[in-house]
Amino acid sequence: MKRRIPLLITFVVGSVLILSVFFPPAESWGEDFSIFFDIIAVFAFFLGGGNLVRIHGKKLFTRKSDWGFSVVTLAGFFVMLLAGLFKVGNPAGMAGDVTAAGSFFQMLYEWIFNPLGASMYALLAFYVASASYRAFRAKNVDATILLVAAFIILLGRTPLGMYATAWIPDSFSILQIPNLAIWIMTSPNMAGQRAIMIGIALGVVSMSLRLILGVERTYLGVDSE
Amino acid sequence: MNNLGLIISLVLIAGGLIWLLVRSLSGREVERPIIFIFMGVAVSVPLLFNITFSEKATPIVKAVFDKVEYLPEGSRVLISFDYGPSMAPEVQPMSDAFIRHCLAKNHKLFLMGLWATGQSLNADAVERVIKREFPEKVGGVDYVNIGYKAGSQGVLNVIITDFRKLYATDVDGRDLDSLPIFQDIKSLKDMDLLLSVGGGFPGVKEWVQFAGDPGNVPTAGGSAAVTTPLMYPYYPRQLVGLLGGIKGAAEYESELKKHYPQFDKMPTPGVAMMGPQTLAHLMVMAFIVVGNIAFFLGKKRDS
Amino acid sequence: MRSRRPPIAAFVPSLFILNLIPFIFLTAVAQSDLGTGESTAMVSPEPPTGVIALDHVYDCGEMIDISWTLSAADTAGGPVTGYEIFRAEADSFVSVSVLPLGTNTYSDEKIIAGTPYRYRVAALYTGGAVLSEITSPVSAGTEIINWNLLNLFVIGLFVCGAVIYYITHAKRGKKLFIRKIAGLEAIDEAIGRATEMGRPILFVPGINDMDDVQTIAGITILGKVAQVVAAYDIKINMPVSRSLVMTTARETIKEAYIGAGRPDAYNDDMVRYVTDEQFGYVAAVDGVMVREKPATCFYLGAFFAESLILAETGNSIGAIQIAGTAQPAQLPFFVAACDYTLIGEELFAASAYLSNEPKQLGSLKGQDVGKFVAMAAIIIGVIAATLAEFGAGSFFVELNDIMHKLFTVEN
């Protein structure tokens, strides 16, 4: 019973979502199932938040190693939660939008959350450099072609590429670096991407059918059929 | 531009690269912290010395510009903020440029988002761009912000048939039916153009797959550079055009300034960031060369 | 001497007549503006023509599509300022929508299915409106089947049919050839390395929720990994980005430990929720990696911009890294920075590959049938399109059209 009900739900919901594409009267059922998932996901926020508080609270009170980070985590969690829940400093009070300009929540978002997120994303610039240094080695013919393509794309995504090959006449404009970069991205690269995407689509079909038919059950915490 | 400071910085960078080259000629690999320091300098120098380059719009960016430009005045344009603060430096210039262009053309703007973290960015764009630069525009009449709803592409599946199944009010709590801008709007199919700005999931691809294509509504996008290659297959049939990364934003900003003299003094973060991008790309190329020299010399030494 | 003043009585009639003349003139002008919509001072534009109202196909009676030919006066600088749509259920017409000039279609969604409606379209100008003819009555109906998607249905049925056929006909004992996938072959070796070094394993199931099939694929591989981990008694660390993934992963690992006969070794804290926010999550995972220094890192699921941050951090701590995602944009980063990468469909094939069960392996064979059809269609389509372009004959033009129709989804 513990396993049959989830399998039955999976089968029914999966089948309806597929059928709703082809049979217009079933379209609204598909929409309703999408909304059901949204509702479940929202309730699951409580589970996650509770788990976060429990784990870091335990770490803090038992003074496990690196418990200082748990202080920061819990402080951030509760300050944001309370600032948003009680709309602290909100110009329109409890009636206003939680992200209203001037509210404490919006200030925390703009002055702490935004810069931190942007900083993490900015790390990519450094990691791309170190990954490129390590990965782009002309070990064989394939790697050399990859290296040359990378050079063209790197130059083509900057104005220097335009300046460097502006002298090439229009009849050979494909050889101008920005156009060559776009050609590489839209022709050989797109061909490879499409092949991968077709494989992925077929993989998704196969995996989805295994899930809908109950052949694959590991995600339920049971062995497969 | 502080020319002396710029020259000194570029000389120091060149000197550093020559030092790395000499090291690699002796077969030594470059350590990670050294790479990071060089990248940090390469990104900072153009910002400190205000190095910028002129931009020319490529056809794929021009297509988006022309679409907004030649829509009849008063057309309905929906902009979706599908990104968080981490991606904002790269894609926010695109959404700002779209807002300015649409409002200069007196189009009706509908703002929303499929990312929870995009909601504050919507609100920020309204305060920073719309209210400050277009004070004559009236909320609820010329623009509306309906905010974020959870559900990713599930949201699109619903609002492609009826907005009001998910959205009852805008972010200020006003009933959609009481807003003049929403009078004749039932669903996404009533829009004249969909603009999705983002770089993750859900993003431009989901807008094409679940809204633009099934609803037959023209869709254009602005995406982070890393996801732009994935969008090329959709251009030009399902995507009117595409802004790719900060270069796309810089091209659109340049095009906007060219056609609208009133935006001559507008901030152009896209153009400003092309300086660091250019120098950073050159630095990566230099490291690849240095790395290959070290690799081949090390291989020769071992054999 | 007496001054002669004209008599007032004589002036009054002439004044009256003089004042009456402009009044009559103005009245005539005003009269001409009422009723007929025609003005002697303003010429009305031509009305829209060819108005057609049709039921929108393949819906549940939600929409009627109206189209018309633009008024001949709908030009730049012309008198037309827009169009107004009128709808009548009985006799009286009500305004439904006002549209900008240049528009020649409208979809009316404010209708009741099955109710007959008539429409007319007015060209608006500063003096008023000019109405078109009235359309025949039309009602919106429900179509059970969306025949526009017949080609998609047939192709989908074929591929799904092949998968289901091979699943149901998979025979025990019959060896199916599956090519070696290096990343999956390396799982045992990677976990063994962690055992030798006495360091934990890190498992990252991506940052999407359980509604993404990549996350489910990651969780199914987790099930297999957890069985080995339970048997070798190594610590597994699994920070997750979604609450539903947390509950599912806990069930999966718990079952693996029970299956390995070590239920006491399982602890809920092996799987913990961090945050839904992308870069907050990757910052936390990076912190775990740098502090706990796992020997093996698995990145299996949906990843976005954080993929390179994770992979480079894992590289810097010297961990062996096995990644797998169906996000084509992130694959190059994983390939560059990780030891093994499962590319796209290999991630979905992993659970079948690792379980070695005939039914699951049968589904891979069905998938390959789909791939064969795709390859054949691409080759035929490319040849037909190229030869049609070079004028090689009407056969290739027709073949190109057929291929185009077969693989285009219309709505």
Side-chain angles (χ1 to χ4, degrees):
Chain A
M1 200 58 168
K2 183 185 165 190
R3 289 149 197 194
R4 281 190 188 203
I5 291 177
L7 286 173
L8 185 64
I9 292 172
T10 306
F11 178 76
V12 168
V13 172
S15 305
V16 166
L17 283 169
I18 293 171
L19 291 173
S20 68
V21 174
F22 301 104
F23 302 100
E27 208 178 300
S28 60
W29 299 345
E31 285 165 18
D32 289 340
F33 284 135
S34 295
I35 293 172
F36 290 165
F37 176 79
D38 295 343
I39 294 169
I40 295 168
V42 164
F43 275 106
F45 277 131
F46 291 105
L47 285 174
N51 177 251
L52 184 86
V53 170
R54 188 182 66 78
I55 292 212
H56 287 281
K58 194 166 125 184
K59 214 168 166 186
L60 171 63
F61 287 116
T62 55
R63 295 289 194 271
K64 273 193 184 158
S65 66
D66 301 318
W67 62 271
F69 296 118
S70 297
V71 175
V72 176
T73 305
L74 289 172
F77 180 84
F78 282 111
V79 167
M80 279 304 258
L81 178 68
L82 295 171
L85 210 54
F86 296 107
K87 295 185 181 171
V88 174
N90 197 304
M94 289 299 282
D97 179 41
V98 71
T99 59
S103 65
F104 189 46
F105 185 88
Q106 183 66 8
M107 271 169 51
L108 287 173
Y109 181 85
E110 261 181 57
W111 296 106
I112 298 179
F113 187 74
N114 271 357
L116 285 174
S119 302
M120 284 302 297
Y121 193 47
L123 283 179
L124 279 172
F126 301 95
Y127 287 143
V128 160
S130 62
S132 302
Y133 171 78
R134 219 178 46 249
F136 286 111
R137 302 281 163 97
K139 295 175 194 167
N140 48 43
V141 174
D142 295 341
T144 309
I145 293 172
L146 182 66
L147 179 62
V148 170
F151 266 50
I152 293 170
I153 304 277
L154 281 167
L155 266 182
R157 297 298 295 166
T158 65
L160 284 184
M162 189 174 70
Y163 297 149
T165 48
W167 53 271
I168 293 177
D170 282 345
S171 44
F172 293 101
S173 63
I174 188 66
L175 296 175
Q176 290 172 350
I177 286 181
N179 295 335
L180 199 54
I182 290 179
W183 178 82
I184 290 174
M185 297 303 277
T186 55
S187 290
N189 172 66
M190 206 199 297
Q193 295 259 9
R194 280 178 168 157
I196 292 175
M197 281 155 73
I198 290 171
I200 288 170
L202 289 165
V204 168
V205 167
S206 169
M207 177 99 197
S208 303
L209 279 172
R210 293 204 301 270
L211 291 166
I212 289 172
L213 296 173
V215 173
E216 176 63 67
R217 302 175 187 182
T218 320
Y219 69 99
L220 287 176
V222 297
D223 278 340
S224 301
E225 195 192 86
Chain B
M1 196 189 297
N2 185 338
N3 288 332
L4 182 63
L6 169 64
I7 290 167
I8 292 171
S9 306
L10 290 175
V11 163
L12 283 173
I13 290 173
L17 285 172
I18 291 169
W19 169 68
L20 283 179
L21 189 62
V22 166
R23 273 170 61 107
S24 58
L25 284 171
S26 58
R28 287 167 68 188
E29 296 276 350
V30 179
E31 288 88 16
R32 205 179 253 117
I34 295 175
I35 296 175
F36 293 167
I37 289 170
F38 271 89
M39 281 304 289
V41 169
V43 167
S44 314
V45 160
L47 286 174
L48 288 169
F49 297 104
N50 197 26
I51 302 174
T52 57
F53 301 93
S54 62
E55 291 288 340
K56 187 172 164 236
T58 46
I60 199 172
V61 170
K62 190 87 171 49
V64 185
F65 186 89
D66 288 344
K67 184 66 188 175
V68 177
E69 182 71 9
Y70 296 120
L71 275 175
E73 196 172 295
S75 294
R76 291 169 276 211
V77 179
L78 184 140
I79 303 181
S80 184
F81 288 64
D82 303 327
Y83 56 95
S86 51
M87 225 177 292
E90 187 172 8
V91 297
Q92 186 88 43
M94 295 175 195
S95 43
D96 287 355
F98 284 150
I99 289 174
R100 289 186 178 109
H101 194 187
C102 289
L103 291 179
K105 288 291 300 181
N106 294 321
H107 294 328
K108 304 289 181 194
L109 264 190
F110 298 77
L111 307 179
M112 62 171 282
L114 298 177
W115 282 43
T117 44
Q119 174 139 344
S120 291
L121 295 167
N122 285 18
D124 175 63
V126 170
E127 292 298 320
R128 192 169 39 79
V129 181
I130 300 179
K131 287 186 177 171
R132 206 177 288 172
E133 297 179 27
F134 299 90
E136 73 281 7
K137 297 294 178 187
V138 178
V141 176
D142 301 304
Y143 66 91
V144 65
N145 182 2
I146 56 175
Y148 159 78
K149 278 280 184 277
S152 305
Q153 73 268 29
V155 173
L156 300 181
N157 280 336
V158 177
I159 63 176
I160 191 76
T161 55
D162 192 347
F163 267 111
R164 288 160 180 80
K165 273 188 184 170
L166 272 183
Y167 292 94
T169 63
D170 71 351
V171 294
D172 296 317
R174 295 179 291 187
D175 196 328
L176 291 190
D177 288 327
S178 70
L179 300 175
I181 197 174
F182 247 98
Q183 281 316 301
D184 290 321
I185 306 292
K186 188 179 178 208
S187 70
L188 281 177
K189 292 176 195 170
D190 294 316
M191 295 294 152
D192 297 302
L193 179 65
L194 305 174
L195 291 167
S196 166
V197 183
F201 172 87
V204 178
K205 190 164 82 125
E206 282 65 42
W207 275 96
V208 169
Q209 287 178 343
F210 296 99
D213 208 34
N216 204 24
V217 184
T219 307
S223 77
V226 72
T227 49
T228 299
L230 214 55
M231 306 303 154
Y232 284 133
Y234 298 109
Y235 171 77
R237 287 195 56 198
Q238 287 118 322
L239 264 182
V240 165
L242 183 68
L243 273 59
I246 203 68
K247 186 156 197 312
E251 290 173 18
Y252 202 94
E253 285 171 352
S254 300
E255 205 62 19
L256 201 56
K257 275 198 162 170
K258 203 164 83 177
H259 285 78
Y260 292 89
Q262 71 258 39
F263 290 135
D264 201 45
K265 295 271 179 277
M266 81 172 180
T268 49
V271 171
M273 284 193 264
M274 281 312 296
Q277 174 154 311
T278 304
L279 214 55
H281 279 206
L282 289 175
M283 197 65 69
V284 169
M285 288 166 65
F287 278 124
I288 291 173
V289 168
V290 164
N292 274 281
I293 291 172
F295 170 71
F296 281 113
L297 286 176
K299 214 166 113 172
K300 205 171 163 182
R301 197 161 287 127
D302 290 342
S303 65
Chain C
M1 186 175 270
R2 199 169 58 175
S3 60
R4 281 177 68 88
R5 284 188 301 176
I8 291 179
F11 269 117
V12 169
S14 52
L15 277 175
F16 177 74
I17 289 164
L18 279 171
N19 281 313
L20 197 56
I21 293 169
F23 176 73
I24 291 167
F25 175 73
L26 285 169
T27 307
V29 169
Q31 280 281 3
S32 70
D33 284 334
L34 292 170
T36 62
E38 302 243 338
S39 166
T40 55
M42 204 175 294
V43 176
S44 64
E46 289 87 345
T49 54
V51 182
I52 301 172
L54 294 170
D55 173 28
H56 186 85
V57 288
Y58 310 132
D59 65 353
C60 298
E62 294 153 344
M63 211 186 303
I64 290 176
D65 296 324
I66 303 108
S67 61
W68 59 94
T69 306
L70 298 176
S71 162
D74 184 345
T75 55
V80 172
T81 57
Y83 295 91
E84 191 167 0
I85 314 295
F86 293 91
R87 178 184 67 216
E89 205 175 312
D91 287 327
S92 62
F93 279 87
V94 294
S95 173
V96 171
S97 184
V98 176
L99 303 166
L101 63 131
T103 315
N104 67 338
T105 57
Y106 176 73
S107 293
D108 186 6
E109 294 182 68
K110 300 169 193 161
I111 53 167
I112 301 169
T115 306
Y117 296 99
R118 292 171 301 137
Y119 289 89
R120 63 193 318 189
V121 180
L124 304 172
Y125 68 106
T126 44
V130 183
L131 291 163
S132 70
E133 288 180 2
I134 303 171
T135 65
S136 318
V138 61
S139 54
T142 300
E143 285 83 25
I144 304 292
I145 299 172
N146 186 344
W147 291 108
N148 264 344
L149 298 178
L150 181 63
N151 55 341
L152 180 65
F153 184 77
V154 167
I155 294 169
L157 200 62
F158 182 77
V159 174
C160 294
V163 173
I164 294 170
Y165 174 81
Y166 283 107
I167 288 174
T168 50
H169 284 74
K171 285 182 171 44
R172 291 191 183 276
K174 187 176 174 188
K175 193 127 175 74
L176 257 159
F177 169 74
I178 303 286
R179 66 170 170 88
K180 287 246 177 285
I181 299 177
L184 298 174
E185 293 291 313
I187 286 179
D188 280 343
E189 176 208 329
I191 298 175
R193 182 173 184 264
T195 316
E196 282 165 19
M197 296 172 78
R199 281 166 34 187
I201 283 173
L202 179 78
F203 196 102
V204 181
I207 64 164
N208 274 359
D209 214 331
M210 288 303 293
D211 63 338
D212 189 326
V213 71
Q214 294 174 80
T215 309
I216 299 176
I219 297 292
T220 55
I221 301 172
L222 171 68
K224 314 294 181 213
V225 167
Q227 283 170 3
V228 181
V229 162
Y232 287 169
D233 193 24
I234 320 159
K235 188 176 163 211
I236 182 166
N237 209 334
M238 190 170 168
V240 298
S241 174
R242 305 287 170 149
S243 314
L244 283 178
V245 176
M246 178 185 76
T247 48
T248 314
R250 281 181 174 170
E251 277 299 309
T252 304
I253 297 178
K254 190 156 90 173
E255 286 297 321
Y257 270 77
I258 291 170
R262 313 221 36 232
D264 50 308
Y266 169 75
N267 182 353
D268 265 353
D269 290 349
M270 288 174 177
V271 184
R272 52 183 199 276
Y273 171 79
V274 179
T275 174
D276 276 45
E277 209 282 322
Q278 181 183 21
F279 286 104
Y281 174 69
V282 76
V285 175
D286 273 5
V288 165
M289 280 203 254
V290 166
R291 286 193 300 273
E292 298 191 15
K293 293 198 175 14
T296 304
C297 296
F298 291 97
Y299 314 118
L300 298 163
F303 292 89
F304 298 91
E306 72 284 357
S307 56
L308 186 62
I309 300 177
L310 288 172
E312 276 295 294
T313 309
N315 195 277
S316 71
I317 60 168
I320 186 168
Q321 301 185 99
I322 299 175
T325 184
Q327 297 295 130
Q330 307 309 319
L331 284 167
F333 298 122
F334 279 143
V335 167
C338 294
D339 299 286
Y340 301 95
T341 306
L342 304 177
I343 295 176
E345 54 175 332
E346 291 174 348
L347 175 68
F348 302 119
S351 62
Y353 187 99
L354 292 171
S355 69
N356 220 22
E357 282 175 34
K359 283 188 182 299
Q360 297 219 35
L361 293 175
S363 72
L364 296 186
K365 198 163 172 183
Q367 192 177 319
D368 281 346
V369 169
K371 228 180 285 181
F372 177 74
V373 168
M375 284 193 288
I378 289 170
I379 291 169
I380 294 170
V382 164
I383 291 173
T386 309
L387 291 177
E389 187 68 28
F390 283 109
S394 61
F395 168 74
F396 292 105
V397 173
E398 279 173 32
L399 181 60
N400 185 34
D401 282 340
I402 290 169
M403 294 301 287
H404 194 74
K405 282 196 183 98
L406 195 56
F407 292 100
T408 302
V409 174
E410 284 181 49
N411 261 304

